[in-house]
Amino acid sequence: MTEQQIIETLATKVMGWSELESIFYEEAKSFPAFYLRDTGGCGVVEKESNRYIDYDWNPLQNIADAWQVVEKFGSMEQFDIRRIKFMGLIPIKIYDITPKAICETALKAVA
């Protein structure tokens, strides 16, 4: 898988975000929504009141973004098979937990 494919898979299958199909935020099916960037990673759009917030999201490169993936698995039902797989595969040594390791583990859990 390419980096963009990994990010798209994590955004949809783990985070549960819908992909923006146009440049108009108002047309999003739900929020947060994401769109792939030509330069790598993706943009995420959230709606607060009557304004939109757009920010970069790349869990392969940014530990804070990768940690959102960990938190998403942590918030799943206790006996959700994806959560069980993820918790069983994530490295137990803290220094082995890198953004890439988190993403690889998440992909295995949703496969």
Side-chain angles (χ1 to χ4, degrees), residues 3-4 6-12 14-17 33-37 40-46 54-70 72 103:
E3 186 171 302
Q4 288 294 74
I6 291 169
I7 291 168
E8 181 176 10
T9 301
L10 294 174
T12 56
V14 176
M15 302 306 291
W17 298 337
F34 77 98
Y35 58 94
L36 297 174
R37 295 190 188 272
C42 75
V44 177
V45 180
E46 293 187 20
D54 185 339
Y55 58 91
D56 294 330
W57 191 76
N58 186 340
L60 286 167
Q61 304 293 325
N62 184 310
I63 191 67
D65 295 342
W67 205 253
Q68 284 183 311
V69 173
V70 173
K72 187 66 175 187
C103 293

mmCIF file of all heavy atoms in Angstrom, residues 3-4 6-12 14-17 33-37 40-46 54-70 72 103:
data_model
loop_
_atom_site.group_PDB
_atom_site.id
_atom_site.type_symbol
_atom_site.label_atom_id
_atom_site.label_comp_id
_atom_site.label_asym_id
_atom_site.label_seq_id
_atom_site.Cartn_x
_atom_site.Cartn_y
_atom_site.Cartn_z
ATOM 1 N N GLU A 3 1.513 5.311 0.948
ATOM 2 C CA GLU A 3 1.242 6.098 2.152
ATOM 3 C C GLU A 3 -0.172 6.675 2.103
ATOM 4 O O GLU A 3 -0.898 6.656 3.100
ATOM 5 C CB GLU A 3 2.280 7.213 2.285
ATOM 6 C CG GLU A 3 2.143 7.987 3.577
ATOM 7 C CD GLU A 3 3.287 8.953 3.824
ATOM 8 O OE1 GLU A 3 4.446 8.518 3.871
ATOM 9 O OE2 GLU A 3 2.994 10.150 3.987
ATOM 10 N N GLN A 4 -0.581 7.170 0.946
ATOM 11 C CA GLN A 4 -1.920 7.752 0.813
ATOM 12 C C GLN A 4 -3.004 6.694 1.038
ATOM 13 O O GLN A 4 -4.023 6.970 1.654
ATOM 14 C CB GLN A 4 -2.100 8.400 -0.561
ATOM 15 C CG GLN A 4 -1.326 9.685 -0.747
ATOM 16 C CD GLN A 4 -1.824 10.799 0.161
ATOM 17 O OE1 GLN A 4 -1.577 10.789 1.355
ATOM 18 N NE2 GLN A 4 -2.507 11.768 -0.404
ATOM 19 N N ILE A 6 -2.742 4.006 2.896
ATOM 20 C CA ILE A 6 -2.745 3.698 4.327
ATOM 21 C C ILE A 6 -3.537 4.762 5.079
ATOM 22 O O ILE A 6 -4.399 4.450 5.905
ATOM 23 C CB ILE A 6 -1.302 3.599 4.869
ATOM 24 C CG1 ILE A 6 -0.619 2.357 4.294
ATOM 25 C CG2 ILE A 6 -1.285 3.576 6.395
ATOM 26 C CD1 ILE A 6 0.884 2.300 4.543
ATOM 27 N N ILE A 7 -3.269 6.023 4.795
ATOM 28 C CA ILE A 7 -3.957 7.126 5.471
ATOM 29 C C ILE A 7 -5.454 7.087 5.176
ATOM 30 O O ILE A 7 -6.283 7.251 6.079
ATOM 31 C CB ILE A 7 -3.328 8.470 5.075
ATOM 32 C CG1 ILE A 7 -1.915 8.557 5.679
ATOM 33 C CG2 ILE A 7 -4.187 9.646 5.521
ATOM 34 C CD1 ILE A 7 -1.076 9.691 5.145
ATOM 35 N N GLU A 8 -5.821 6.830 3.938
ATOM 36 C CA GLU A 8 -7.233 6.754 3.571
ATOM 37 C C GLU A 8 -7.925 5.595 4.313
ATOM 38 O O GLU A 8 -9.030 5.753 4.830
ATOM 39 C CB GLU A 8 -7.388 6.570 2.062
ATOM 40 C CG GLU A 8 -8.827 6.519 1.611
ATOM 41 C CD GLU A 8 -8.971 6.445 0.106
ATOM 42 O OE1 GLU A 8 -7.978 6.249 -0.606
ATOM 43 O OE2 GLU A 8 -10.121 6.578 -0.345
ATOM 44 N N THR A 9 -7.258 4.457 4.392
ATOM 45 C CA THR A 9 -7.820 3.305 5.099
ATOM 46 C C THR A 9 -8.005 3.602 6.581
ATOM 47 O O THR A 9 -9.049 3.293 7.163
ATOM 48 C CB THR A 9 -6.918 2.063 4.916
ATOM 49 O OG1 THR A 9 -6.812 1.768 3.514
ATOM 50 C CG2 THR A 9 -7.483 0.852 5.634
ATOM 51 N N LEU A 10 -7.011 4.222 7.193
ATOM 52 C CA LEU A 10 -7.124 4.568 8.610
ATOM 53 C C LEU A 10 -8.237 5.586 8.838
ATOM 54 O O LEU A 10 -8.996 5.482 9.811
ATOM 55 C CB LEU A 10 -5.792 5.100 9.141
ATOM 56 C CG LEU A 10 -4.640 4.087 9.179
ATOM 57 C CD1 LEU A 10 -3.355 4.772 9.587
ATOM 58 C CD2 LEU A 10 -4.957 2.919 10.094
ATOM 59 N N ALA A 11 -8.339 6.570 7.952
ATOM 60 C CA ALA A 11 -9.364 7.607 8.095
ATOM 61 C C ALA A 11 -10.772 7.017 7.996
ATOM 62 O O ALA A 11 -11.660 7.397 8.768
ATOM 63 C CB ALA A 11 -9.174 8.700 7.045
ATOM 64 N N THR A 12 -10.970 6.061 7.090
ATOM 65 C CA THR A 12 -12.315 5.515 6.889
ATOM 66 C C THR A 12 -12.614 4.334 7.807
ATOM 67 O O THR A 12 -13.637 4.310 8.483
ATOM 68 C CB THR A 12 -12.523 5.078 5.427
ATOM 69 O OG1 THR A 12 -11.499 4.136 5.051
ATOM 70 C CG2 THR A 12 -12.498 6.262 4.491
ATOM 71 N N VAL A 14 -10.864 3.073 10.507
ATOM 72 C CA VAL A 14 -10.597 3.198 11.944
ATOM 73 C C VAL A 14 -11.299 4.427 12.512
ATOM 74 O O VAL A 14 -12.085 4.331 13.452
ATOM 75 C CB VAL A 14 -9.076 3.253 12.247
ATOM 76 C CG1 VAL A 14 -8.833 3.482 13.720
ATOM 77 C CG2 VAL A 14 -8.384 1.981 11.779
ATOM 78 N N MET A 15 -11.020 5.587 11.931
ATOM 79 C CA MET A 15 -11.566 6.821 12.483
ATOM 80 C C MET A 15 -13.055 6.998 12.152
ATOM 81 O O MET A 15 -13.764 7.725 12.830
ATOM 82 C CB MET A 15 -10.777 8.028 11.979
ATOM 83 C CG MET A 15 -9.279 7.977 12.324
ATOM 84 S SD MET A 15 -8.913 7.743 14.066
ATOM 85 C CE MET A 15 -9.456 9.291 14.745
ATOM 86 N N GLY A 16 -13.524 6.344 11.088
ATOM 87 C CA GLY A 16 -14.931 6.431 10.721
ATOM 88 C C GLY A 16 -15.309 7.704 9.990
ATOM 89 O O GLY A 16 -16.482 8.076 9.942
ATOM 90 N N TRP A 17 -14.318 8.371 9.402
ATOM 91 C CA TRP A 17 -14.574 9.623 8.701
ATOM 92 C C TRP A 17 -15.048 9.347 7.284
ATOM 93 O O TRP A 17 -14.673 8.362 6.651
ATOM 94 C CB TRP A 17 -13.308 10.472 8.655
ATOM 95 C CG TRP A 17 -12.795 10.890 9.990
ATOM 96 C CD1 TRP A 17 -13.509 10.991 11.150
ATOM 97 C CD2 TRP A 17 -11.460 11.274 10.315
ATOM 98 N NE1 TRP A 17 -12.688 11.417 12.169
ATOM 99 C CE2 TRP A 17 -11.436 11.602 11.688
ATOM 100 C CE3 TRP A 17 -10.285 11.382 9.583
ATOM 101 C CZ2 TRP A 17 -10.281 12.015 12.336
ATOM 102 C CZ3 TRP A 17 -9.137 11.798 10.222
ATOM 103 C CH2 TRP A 17 -9.135 12.113 11.585
ATOM 104 N N ALA A 33 -14.727 15.054 8.357
ATOM 105 C CA ALA A 33 -14.563 14.491 7.023
ATOM 106 C C ALA A 33 -13.114 14.725 6.615
ATOM 107 O O ALA A 33 -12.417 15.536 7.211
ATOM 108 C CB ALA A 33 -15.504 15.164 6.037
ATOM 109 N N PHE A 34 -12.654 13.999 5.602
ATOM 110 C CA PHE A 34 -11.264 14.161 5.190
ATOM 111 C C PHE A 34 -11.156 14.229 3.676
ATOM 112 O O PHE A 34 -12.070 13.850 2.953
ATOM 113 C CB PHE A 34 -10.397 12.996 5.709
ATOM 114 C CG PHE A 34 -10.570 11.724 4.926
ATOM 115 C CD1 PHE A 34 -9.669 11.371 3.926
ATOM 116 C CD2 PHE A 34 -11.633 10.875 5.181
ATOM 117 C CE1 PHE A 34 -9.836 10.204 3.198
ATOM 118 C CE2 PHE A 34 -11.803 9.703 4.461
ATOM 119 C CZ PHE A 34 -10.901 9.373 3.461
ATOM 120 N N TYR A 35 -10.027 14.735 3.226
ATOM 121 C CA TYR A 35 -9.699 14.726 1.805
ATOM 122 C C TYR A 35 -8.199 14.492 1.695
ATOM 123 O O TYR A 35 -7.420 14.893 2.551
ATOM 124 C CB TYR A 35 -10.111 16.034 1.112
ATOM 125 C CG TYR A 35 -9.488 17.268 1.718
ATOM 126 C CD1 TYR A 35 -8.302 17.779 1.200
ATOM 127 C CD2 TYR A 35 -10.067 17.912 2.808
ATOM 128 C CE1 TYR A 35 -7.710 18.903 1.764
ATOM 129 C CE2 TYR A 35 -9.489 19.025 3.368
ATOM 130 C CZ TYR A 35 -8.314 19.521 2.843
ATOM 131 O OH TYR A 35 -7.718 20.622 3.407
ATOM 132 N N LEU A 36 -7.799 13.784 0.652
ATOM 133 C CA LEU A 36 -6.377 13.486 0.452
ATOM 134 C C LEU A 36 -5.697 14.690 -0.171
ATOM 135 O O LEU A 36 -6.246 15.350 -1.044
ATOM 136 C CB LEU A 36 -6.221 12.252 -0.437
ATOM 137 C CG LEU A 36 -6.798 10.964 0.159
ATOM 138 C CD1 LEU A 36 -6.723 9.826 -0.856
ATOM 139 C CD2 LEU A 36 -6.086 10.580 1.440
ATOM 140 N N ARG A 37 -4.500 14.979 0.292
ATOM 141 C CA ARG A 37 -3.716 16.098 -0.235
ATOM 142 C C ARG A 37 -2.742 15.588 -1.294
ATOM 143 O O ARG A 37 -2.168 14.523 -1.144
ATOM 144 C CB ARG A 37 -2.931 16.779 0.884
ATOM 145 C CG ARG A 37 -3.782 17.448 1.928
ATOM 146 C CD ARG A 37 -2.887 18.294 2.826
ATOM 147 N NE ARG A 37 -3.596 18.816 3.973
ATOM 148 C CZ ARG A 37 -4.267 19.955 3.980
ATOM 149 N NH1 ARG A 37 -4.348 20.686 2.901
ATOM 150 N NH2 ARG A 37 -4.863 20.366 5.085
ATOM 151 N N GLY A 40 0.701 14.795 0.120
ATOM 152 C CA GLY A 40 0.827 13.743 1.121
ATOM 153 C C GLY A 40 -0.036 14.025 2.330
ATOM 154 O O GLY A 40 -0.367 15.160 2.625
ATOM 155 N N GLY A 41 -0.383 12.976 3.029
ATOM 156 C CA GLY A 41 -1.260 13.116 4.176
ATOM 157 C C GLY A 41 -2.663 13.468 3.738
ATOM 158 O O GLY A 41 -3.054 13.270 2.593
ATOM 159 N N CYS A 42 -3.431 13.979 4.679
ATOM 160 C CA CYS A 42 -4.776 14.394 4.319
ATOM 161 C C CYS A 42 -5.167 15.597 5.139
ATOM 162 O O CYS A 42 -4.518 15.951 6.120
ATOM 163 C CB CYS A 42 -5.768 13.244 4.500
ATOM 164 S SG CYS A 42 -6.229 12.836 6.172
ATOM 165 N N GLY A 43 -6.211 16.227 4.706
ATOM 166 C CA GLY A 43 -6.797 17.323 5.457
ATOM 167 C C GLY A 43 -8.048 16.812 6.132
ATOM 168 O O GLY A 43 -8.753 15.971 5.587
ATOM 169 N N VAL A 44 -8.306 17.289 7.313
ATOM 170 C CA VAL A 44 -9.502 16.918 8.048
ATOM 171 C C VAL A 44 -10.307 18.187 8.296
ATOM 172 O O VAL A 44 -9.749 19.224 8.645
ATOM 173 C CB VAL A 44 -9.149 16.241 9.390
ATOM 174 C CG1 VAL A 44 -10.408 15.917 10.181
ATOM 175 C CG2 VAL A 44 -8.318 14.981 9.157
ATOM 176 N N VAL A 45 -11.602 18.077 8.096
ATOM 177 C CA VAL A 45 -12.493 19.215 8.286
ATOM 178 C C VAL A 45 -13.488 18.873 9.390
ATOM 179 O O VAL A 45 -14.127 17.833 9.353
ATOM 180 C CB VAL A 45 -13.262 19.540 6.990
ATOM 181 C CG1 VAL A 45 -14.193 20.725 7.200
ATOM 182 C CG2 VAL A 45 -12.301 19.790 5.847
ATOM 183 N N GLU A 46 -13.562 19.741 10.374
ATOM 184 C CA GLU A 46 -14.555 19.608 11.435
ATOM 185 C C GLU A 46 -15.443 20.839 11.402
ATOM 186 O O GLU A 46 -15.033 21.893 10.935
ATOM 187 C CB GLU A 46 -13.879 19.484 12.799
ATOM 188 C CG GLU A 46 -13.105 18.197 12.949
ATOM 189 C CD GLU A 46 -12.572 17.999 14.353
ATOM 190 O OE1 GLU A 46 -13.089 18.626 15.294
ATOM 191 O OE2 GLU A 46 -11.636 17.204 14.491
ATOM 192 N N ASP A 54 -10.090 23.314 9.367
ATOM 193 C CA ASP A 54 -9.355 22.448 8.441
ATOM 194 C C ASP A 54 -7.939 22.281 8.981
ATOM 195 O O ASP A 54 -7.265 23.258 9.254
ATOM 196 C CB ASP A 54 -9.350 23.114 7.062
ATOM 197 C CG ASP A 54 -8.714 22.261 5.978
ATOM 198 O OD1 ASP A 54 -7.931 21.350 6.303
ATOM 199 O OD2 ASP A 54 -8.995 22.521 4.801
ATOM 200 N N TYR A 55 -7.501 21.040 9.155
ATOM 201 C CA TYR A 55 -6.141 20.815 9.646
ATOM 202 C C TYR A 55 -5.522 19.595 8.982
ATOM 203 O O TYR A 55 -6.227 18.741 8.441
ATOM 204 C CB TYR A 55 -6.121 20.684 11.177
ATOM 205 C CG TYR A 55 -6.981 19.569 11.739
ATOM 206 C CD1 TYR A 55 -6.456 18.292 11.947
ATOM 207 C CD2 TYR A 55 -8.304 19.791 12.076
ATOM 208 C CE1 TYR A 55 -7.237 17.282 12.473
ATOM 209 C CE2 TYR A 55 -9.084 18.779 12.598
ATOM 210 C CZ TYR A 55 -8.544 17.523 12.802
ATOM 211 O OH TYR A 55 -9.319 16.520 13.314
ATOM 212 N N ASP A 56 -4.193 19.525 9.009
ATOM 213 C CA ASP A 56 -3.461 18.390 8.445
ATOM 214 C C ASP A 56 -3.569 17.188 9.362
ATOM 215 O O ASP A 56 -3.611 17.325 10.582
ATOM 216 C CB ASP A 56 -1.971 18.731 8.276
ATOM 217 C CG ASP A 56 -1.743 19.816 7.243
ATOM 218 O OD1 ASP A 56 -2.545 19.903 6.303
ATOM 219 O OD2 ASP A 56 -0.766 20.564 7.378
ATOM 220 N N TRP A 57 -3.574 15.978 8.770
ATOM 221 C CA TRP A 57 -3.595 14.737 9.547
ATOM 222 C C TRP A 57 -2.751 13.709 8.808
ATOM 223 O O TRP A 57 -3.044 13.362 7.672
ATOM 224 C CB TRP A 57 -5.030 14.249 9.711
ATOM 225 C CG TRP A 57 -5.216 13.132 10.691
ATOM 226 C CD1 TRP A 57 -5.200 13.233 12.040
ATOM 227 C CD2 TRP A 57 -5.456 11.754 10.401
ATOM 228 N NE1 TRP A 57 -5.427 12.009 12.614
ATOM 229 C CE2 TRP A 57 -5.576 11.076 11.625
ATOM 230 C CE3 TRP A 57 -5.565 11.018 9.221
ATOM 231 C CZ2 TRP A 57 -5.824 9.716 11.713
ATOM 232 C CZ3 TRP A 57 -5.806 9.656 9.310
ATOM 233 C CH2 TRP A 57 -5.936 9.016 10.548
ATOM 234 N N ASN A 58 -1.683 13.269 9.426
ATOM 235 C CA ASN A 58 -0.833 12.241 8.843
ATOM 236 C C ASN A 58 -0.287 11.360 9.967
ATOM 237 O O ASN A 58 0.756 11.644 10.542
ATOM 238 C CB ASN A 58 0.319 12.856 8.042
ATOM 239 C CG ASN A 58 1.118 11.802 7.301
ATOM 240 O OD1 ASN A 58 1.091 10.625 7.635
ATOM 241 N ND2 ASN A 58 1.835 12.225 6.282
ATOM 242 N N PRO A 59 -0.996 10.288 10.297
ATOM 243 C CA PRO A 59 -0.576 9.431 11.408
ATOM 244 C C PRO A 59 0.710 8.656 11.141
ATOM 245 O O PRO A 59 1.310 8.143 12.080
ATOM 246 C CB PRO A 59 -1.769 8.492 11.592
ATOM 247 C CG PRO A 59 -2.406 8.437 10.243
ATOM 248 C CD PRO A 59 -2.208 9.807 9.664
ATOM 249 N N LEU A 60 1.142 8.592 9.905
ATOM 250 C CA LEU A 60 2.420 7.933 9.604
ATOM 251 C C LEU A 60 3.611 8.789 9.990
ATOM 252 O O LEU A 60 4.695 8.285 10.244
ATOM 253 C CB LEU A 60 2.511 7.580 8.117
ATOM 254 C CG LEU A 60 1.665 6.398 7.664
ATOM 255 C CD1 LEU A 60 1.605 6.352 6.147
ATOM 256 C CD2 LEU A 60 2.206 5.105 8.232
ATOM 257 N N GLN A 61 3.416 10.098 10.044
ATOM 258 C CA GLN A 61 4.503 11.026 10.311
ATOM 259 C C GLN A 61 4.382 11.757 11.644
ATOM 260 O O GLN A 61 5.370 12.254 12.164
ATOM 261 C CB GLN A 61 4.573 12.078 9.186
ATOM 262 C CG GLN A 61 4.722 11.501 7.803
ATOM 263 C CD GLN A 61 6.051 10.809 7.599
ATOM 264 O OE1 GLN A 61 7.052 11.249 8.140
ATOM 265 N NE2 GLN A 61 6.057 9.736 6.836
ATOM 266 N N ASN A 62 3.180 11.833 12.197
ATOM 267 C CA ASN A 62 2.943 12.656 13.377
ATOM 268 C C ASN A 62 2.417 11.792 14.522
ATOM 269 O O ASN A 62 1.346 11.196 14.413
ATOM 270 C CB ASN A 62 1.936 13.744 13.014
ATOM 271 C CG ASN A 62 1.684 14.710 14.137
ATOM 272 O OD1 ASN A 62 1.417 14.321 15.264
ATOM 273 N ND2 ASN A 62 1.741 15.992 13.817
ATOM 274 N N ILE A 63 3.146 11.728 15.634
ATOM 275 C CA ILE A 63 2.756 10.866 16.756
ATOM 276 C C ILE A 63 1.417 11.299 17.364
ATOM 277 O O ILE A 63 0.638 10.455 17.806
ATOM 278 C CB ILE A 63 3.877 10.783 17.829
ATOM 279 C CG1 ILE A 63 3.573 9.678 18.852
ATOM 280 C CG2 ILE A 63 4.088 12.119 18.507
ATOM 281 C CD1 ILE A 63 3.617 8.277 18.336
ATOM 282 N N ALA A 64 1.111 12.584 17.368
ATOM 283 C CA ALA A 64 -0.185 13.031 17.905
ATOM 284 C C ALA A 64 -1.334 12.495 17.056
ATOM 285 O O ALA A 64 -2.367 12.067 17.588
ATOM 286 C CB ALA A 64 -0.230 14.554 17.987
ATOM 287 N N ASP A 65 -1.160 12.505 15.740
ATOM 288 C CA ASP A 65 -2.187 11.962 14.842
ATOM 289 C C ASP A 65 -2.286 10.447 15.014
ATOM 290 O O ASP A 65 -3.385 9.886 15.033
ATOM 291 C CB ASP A 65 -1.881 12.317 13.387
ATOM 292 C CG ASP A 65 -1.947 13.808 13.110
ATOM 293 O OD1 ASP A 65 -2.556 14.544 13.920
ATOM 294 O OD2 ASP A 65 -1.374 14.244 12.094
ATOM 295 N N ALA A 66 -1.141 9.783 15.139
ATOM 296 C CA ALA A 66 -1.133 8.330 15.350
ATOM 297 C C ALA A 66 -1.812 7.990 16.676
ATOM 298 O O ALA A 66 -2.522 6.988 16.782
ATOM 299 C CB ALA A 66 0.294 7.798 15.317
ATOM 300 N N TRP A 67 -1.608 8.822 17.675
ATOM 301 C CA TRP A 67 -2.220 8.557 18.975
ATOM 302 C C TRP A 67 -3.736 8.682 18.919
ATOM 303 O O TRP A 67 -4.452 8.022 19.676
ATOM 304 C CB TRP A 67 -1.626 9.462 20.055
ATOM 305 C CG TRP A 67 -1.776 8.812 21.391
ATOM 306 C CD1 TRP A 67 -2.635 9.171 22.378
ATOM 307 C CD2 TRP A 67 -1.078 7.658 21.872
ATOM 308 N NE1 TRP A 67 -2.500 8.316 23.443
ATOM 309 C CE2 TRP A 67 -1.557 7.375 23.159
ATOM 310 C CE3 TRP A 67 -0.085 6.846 21.330
ATOM 311 C CZ2 TRP A 67 -1.091 6.314 23.922
ATOM 312 C CZ3 TRP A 67 0.384 5.783 22.086
ATOM 313 C CH2 TRP A 67 -0.119 5.525 23.362
ATOM 314 N N GLN A 68 -4.263 9.499 17.982
ATOM 315 C CA GLN A 68 -5.717 9.554 17.781
ATOM 316 C C GLN A 68 -6.241 8.184 17.364
ATOM 317 O O GLN A 68 -7.338 7.790 17.751
ATOM 318 C CB GLN A 68 -6.089 10.573 16.712
ATOM 319 C CG GLN A 68 -6.007 12.008 17.149
ATOM 320 C CD GLN A 68 -6.475 12.940 16.039
ATOM 321 O OE1 GLN A 68 -6.055 12.830 14.894
ATOM 322 N NE2 GLN A 68 -7.361 13.849 16.395
ATOM 323 N N VAL A 69 -5.433 7.470 16.564
ATOM 324 C CA VAL A 69 -5.802 6.117 16.135
ATOM 325 C C VAL A 69 -5.859 5.200 17.357
ATOM 326 O O VAL A 69 -6.811 4.430 17.535
ATOM 327 C CB VAL A 69 -4.811 5.591 15.070
ATOM 328 C CG1 VAL A 69 -5.076 4.129 14.746
ATOM 329 C CG2 VAL A 69 -4.885 6.445 13.807
ATOM 330 N N VAL A 70 -4.846 5.277 18.225
ATOM 331 C CA VAL A 70 -4.826 4.464 19.444
ATOM 332 C C VAL A 70 -6.063 4.772 20.293
ATOM 333 O O VAL A 70 -6.743 3.854 20.774
ATOM 334 C CB VAL A 70 -3.536 4.720 20.261
ATOM 335 C CG1 VAL A 70 -3.598 4.014 21.607
ATOM 336 C CG2 VAL A 70 -2.306 4.288 19.479
ATOM 337 N N LYS A 72 -8.914 5.908 19.341
ATOM 338 C CA LYS A 72 -10.123 5.419 18.695
ATOM 339 C C LYS A 72 -10.340 3.949 19.026
ATOM 340 O O LYS A 72 -11.452 3.531 19.343
ATOM 341 C CB LYS A 72 -10.040 5.630 17.177
ATOM 342 C CG LYS A 72 -11.300 5.312 16.453
ATOM 343 C CD LYS A 72 -12.413 6.264 16.831
ATOM 344 C CE LYS A 72 -13.644 6.019 16.007
ATOM 345 N NZ LYS A 72 -14.664 7.018 16.246
ATOM 346 N N CYS A 103 0.291 2.628 12.978
ATOM 347 C CA CYS A 103 -0.470 2.522 11.730
ATOM 348 C C CYS A 103 -0.468 1.093 11.187
ATOM 349 O O CYS A 103 -1.499 0.586 10.749
ATOM 350 C CB CYS A 103 0.079 3.498 10.688
ATOM 351 S SG CYS A 103 -0.198 5.221 11.128
#
